[in-house]
Amino acid sequence: MIDGKILTEKLLVYADAFLGLNSLDVVYFRNVLLNLFKLNAPSKDILSEKAKENIRSMQTPDELINEIINYSIENGICCDEQDADLFANYVFGVLTPKPSEINSVFMSIKEKLGSQSACDYLYNLSIKNYYVRKTAIDKNIKWDAEKLDYPLEITINLSKPEKNNKDIAKLLTAPSGDKYPACNLCKENEGFYGTATHPARSNLRTVSLTLGGEDWAMQYSPYLYFDEHCILFSKKHVPMHVDGRTVERLFDFIEMFPGYFIGSNSDLPIVGGSILNHEHYQGGKHLMPLQKAKALKTLACSDYPDAMVEIVDFYNSTVRISGFNRYTVEQLATDVISNWKSYSDESAGILCETDGVKHSTVTPIARFLPDSRYCIDLILRNNLTSEVYPDGIYHAHPEYHNIKKEGIGLIEAMGLYILPARLKRQLACIEEILAHKVAYDKEEISKEDNDLHVHQEMIEYLMKKHPRVKDLKKANLIVTEYVNNVCAQILYNTSVFSKDSKGMLAFNKFLNTCNIK
């Protein structure tokens, strides 16, 4: 049994160490916690110095979270673990400084010590107050795929549910009605208790920013796909839209936080991210595979002679624009985006729209280069479908849907794959079959409700190619190599211009419309 009075004292020590608890507020928060825990008086026992030191050395609050969950269930405060998890988040939300205080401290640190120190403050707080669940995130399976045409980074994410393109597309037309908050990104999430259908946001804290003269805010992603993975969101619940204003906002951000990159998902289904109904961007400190890629071809624009233009040597069709003059880079990027959205070339399979439905858009990513040049990568995207490819011509083709069926958004397009959690279980089973540790039952796997049904072709292909595998280590290498190659092929699928001579001619033909030669 968890002693609620002792737990109260532990939480106060933790809040003092990591959440900025002021000594003048200790009595107040002790009483708040006692009330939450349905207690009338504090403990008469004093925590030992060893117990306090143990709390002060915690990297994450998971141990205390678990105590809150267990205590709340044991004492009838919560009816089940889901309810108790919401309650635990609320407790930490209560102990976390108010948004006004967070913003004041953040801006003070930024002014005195610089933007990275301010980011460190918000990032560390988001871990220490359990909004970023780092312990769970650290359990994600990660590896580097080096033996490919271009290196990739791959993660099997164990904490985020898989979505399909049809569900994502519905977000654009679904009425928000009386739903509160209207979506997971709205400013109204900050401090929201959470429900069975909406995640806990009691402990979410954001900082307000002005981008392009508009009110935006920054937070850290609870899923943390890469180093200091942050999310920027408009304080207005408006749909995603990519144009010259997007470039302006992205450049405003990197001027505030020059150590981060920032990018926008495309604003159309299939080629966009999983949230299309709320304007937002994602960034962080990580250098993505796309950003490490060199130039395949260097070009110039007669209209903006001080800007460098490159076709990036990567899987997808990416135009990189850089220069020391922000205005020049911004204007040329705007021209490329505008031209691409209205460009069609039937001979190359490019239609910007059909029957009034738009198909072409861009995934833009901004950063500073090491020599302080402004840089923006523009990944050209198109969401045309066909009878052969009903989920998207420039999307993962059907033979790869067993590995990745979701839209290839900003992060995957940059070469960091977020694969669904089901693969941890499924790939382990395939490895056992391949290593002859488990018998292969073709009839059973052919049933649609079988967990391995989607992998039928993969299993038969690997068994035929590798019939004599005897150990799981070798099977793991074979399966991993297969997944790596699938990820590479999916990115090739997203390329609007093929990598052969015909495709490059078509690519150059488009660039010529921007006076880039």
Side-chain angles (χ1 to χ4, degrees):
M1 297 287 287
I2 304 295
D3 186 328
K5 294 181 178 182
I6 295 298
L7 175 56
T8 297
E9 299 308 311
K10 287 181 178 180
L11 288 168
L12 292 172
V13 172
Y14 185 90
D16 173 68
F18 301 115
L19 303 179
L21 177 62
N22 190 301
S23 60
L24 295 176
D25 294 329
V26 170
V27 171
Y28 169 80
F29 277 108
R30 178 179 287 114
N31 286 326
V32 169
L33 290 173
L34 289 173
N35 180 60
L36 289 173
F37 294 154
K38 308 299 182 186
L39 299 168
N40 295 320
S43 173
K44 294 180 180 180
D45 297 324
I46 299 173
L47 286 180
S48 68
E49 284 305 313
K50 184 177 181 181
K52 291 179 182 179
E53 194 54 41
N54 178 56
I55 294 168
R56 294 185 185 116
S57 65
M58 288 180 175
Q59 298 299 307
T60 66
D62 293 58
E63 182 180 325
L64 295 174
I65 289 288
N66 289 334
E67 288 192 30
I68 296 170
I69 289 172
N70 290 333
Y71 176 83
S72 65
I73 293 174
E74 289 170 359
N75 291 275
I77 297 171
C78 299
C79 58
D80 55 34
E81 284 200 16
Q82 183 183 38
D83 189 25
D85 184 74
L86 293 175
F87 178 71
N89 276 271
Y90 178 73
V91 170
F92 267 78
V94 167
L95 293 172
T96 301
K98 297 190 297 292
S100 59
E101 296 171 29
I102 297 289
N103 275 261
S104 178
V105 172
F106 183 91
M107 293 306 173
S108 176
I109 293 173
K110 186 175 183 294
E111 184 177 330
K112 294 175 183 177
L113 301 175
S115 61
Q116 186 56 55
S117 294
C119 289
D120 290 344
Y121 161 72
L122 183 63
Y123 176 68
N124 289 327
L125 181 84
S126 299
I127 292 172
K128 295 298 187 182
N129 81 343
Y130 199 59
Y131 182 70
V132 174
R133 302 189 180 189
K134 196 168 186 305
T135 301
I137 291 163
D138 287 343
K139 293 177 182 178
N140 290 341
I141 302 166
K142 302 179 181 180
W143 70 90
D144 293 327
E146 300 284 353
K147 296 178 181 179
L148 298 168
D149 292 344
Y150 312 99
L152 296 174
E153 298 173 22
I154 300 176
T155 301
I156 294 179
N157 186 276
L158 304 178
S159 57
K160 188 176 182 182
E162 188 175 12
K163 296 181 180 180
N164 63 56
N165 288 333
K166 291 179 181 178
D167 290 337
I168 292 167
K170 288 176 183 176
L171 290 175
L172 276 178
T173 55
S176 55
D178 295 328
K179 186 178 185 302
Y180 180 86
C183 79
N184 289 358
L185 289 175
C186 285
K187 64 181 180 180
E188 289 81 11
N189 279 281
E190 195 166 29
F192 185 70
Y193 189 88
T195 67
T197 57
H198 195 99
R201 293 291 184 260
S202 301
N203 48 353
L204 167 63
R205 295 296 182 270
T206 71
V207 292
S208 295
L209 304 172
T210 300
L211 301 178
E214 300 170 351
D215 292 332
W216 283 62
M218 180 175 82
Q219 67 171 82
Y220 284 96
S221 168
Y223 300 113
L224 214 64
Y225 293 149
F226 47 84
D227 302 337
E228 299 180 38
H229 178 188
C230 65
I231 298 173
L232 301 185
F233 61 92
S234 171
K235 289 191 177 180
K236 295 179 180 178
H237 182 69
V238 293
M240 294 287 293
H241 186 69
V242 176
D243 57 13
R245 295 278 289 156
T246 307
V247 181
E248 179 187 1
R249 296 188 201 105
L250 297 183
F251 279 165
D252 277 356
F253 178 81
I254 64 169
E255 285 185 346
M256 292 182 210
F257 305 99
Y260 280 7
F261 81 84
I262 192 72
S264 172
N265 264 307
S266 296
D267 50 358
L268 295 177
I270 298 177
V271 295
S274 59
I275 297 178
L276 294 173
N277 59 342
H278 195 120
E279 188 92 79
H280 72 286
Y281 309 138
Q282 295 183 75
K285 210 172 180 179
H286 195 61
L287 192 64
M288 296 288 194
L290 172 69
Q291 295 169 318
K292 296 176 186 177
K294 306 299 183 184
L296 178 65
K297 190 175 182 181
T298 301
L299 304 162
C301 178
S302 57
D303 298 333
Y304 305 98
D306 57 340
M308 177 185 288
V309 183
E310 298 167 320
I311 295 176
V312 181
D313 192 13
F314 201 61
Y315 297 96
N316 44 35
S317 303
T318 302
V319 180
R320 177 172 294 158
I321 304 171
S322 61
F324 291 105
N325 185 323
R326 168 177 168 168
Y327 175 82
T328 298
V329 177
E330 193 173 299
Q331 290 304 306
L332 181 50
T334 299
D335 289 352
V336 172
I337 293 170
S338 178
N339 282 23
W340 176 248
K341 284 195 166 190
S342 60
Y343 181 79
S344 292
D345 181 356
E346 289 192 42
S347 66
I350 304 296
L351 295 175
C352 66
E353 65 174 65
T354 55
D355 300 323
V357 178
K358 297 184 181 301
H359 297 301
S360 291
T361 187
V362 169
T363 301
I365 309 106
R367 61 184 163 126
F368 279 112
L369 295 179
D371 62 3
S372 299
R373 275 182 294 156
Y374 291 88
C375 177
I376 187 159
D377 289 327
L378 303 174
I379 307 173
L380 307 181
R381 312 298 298 272
N382 186 282
N383 74 354
L384 272 171
T385 60
S386 68
E387 289 185 11
V388 178
Y389 301 114
D391 291 300
I393 297 170
Y394 304 106
H395 171 60
H397 288 177
E399 63 267 31
Y400 306 129
H401 285 181
N402 63 311
I403 301 298
K404 178 77 174 180
K405 189 175 183 180
E406 282 185 307
I408 304 303
L410 169 71
I411 296 171
E412 279 95 354
M414 297 178 74
L416 195 165
Y417 267 86
I418 313 299
L419 299 179
R422 62 178 170 82
L423 288 179
K424 178 185 179 182
R425 174 186 70 252
Q426 292 169 342
L427 296 181
C429 292
I430 293 171
E431 288 166 13
E432 290 184 329
I433 291 172
L434 196 59
H436 297 91
K437 304 297 181 183
V438 172
Y440 174 58
D441 189 335
K442 184 174 181 177
E443 184 179 346
E444 186 63 30
I445 291 176
S446 67
K447 297 177 182 177
E448 288 192 13
D449 61 348
N450 188 284
D451 194 36
L452 298 182
H453 175 74
V454 295
H455 298 292
Q456 288 180 95
E457 292 182 9
M458 172 185 174
I459 295 169
E460 293 196 7
Y461 169 79
L462 291 178
M463 288 181 65
K464 186 175 181 179
K465 188 175 181 181
H466 304 280
R468 296 184 180 85
V469 178
K470 296 297 181 184
D471 64 273
L472 287 170
K473 185 176 181 181
K474 176 64 174 176
N476 173 260
L477 292 173
I478 291 169
V479 169
T480 300
E481 181 182 22
Y482 181 92
V483 172
N484 293 349
N485 285 315
V486 165
C487 290
Q489 289 305 314
I490 288 173
L491 273 189
Y492 273 132
N493 291 163
T494 69
S495 184
V496 294
F497 295 113
S498 61
K499 299 302 176 185
D500 55 21
S501 58
K502 182 180 177 183
M504 291 308 296
L505 282 172
F507 202 160
N508 283 309
K509 181 180 175 183
F510 161 68
L511 292 175
N512 287 344
T513 67
C514 310
N515 290 327
I516 296 173
K517 300 177 181 178

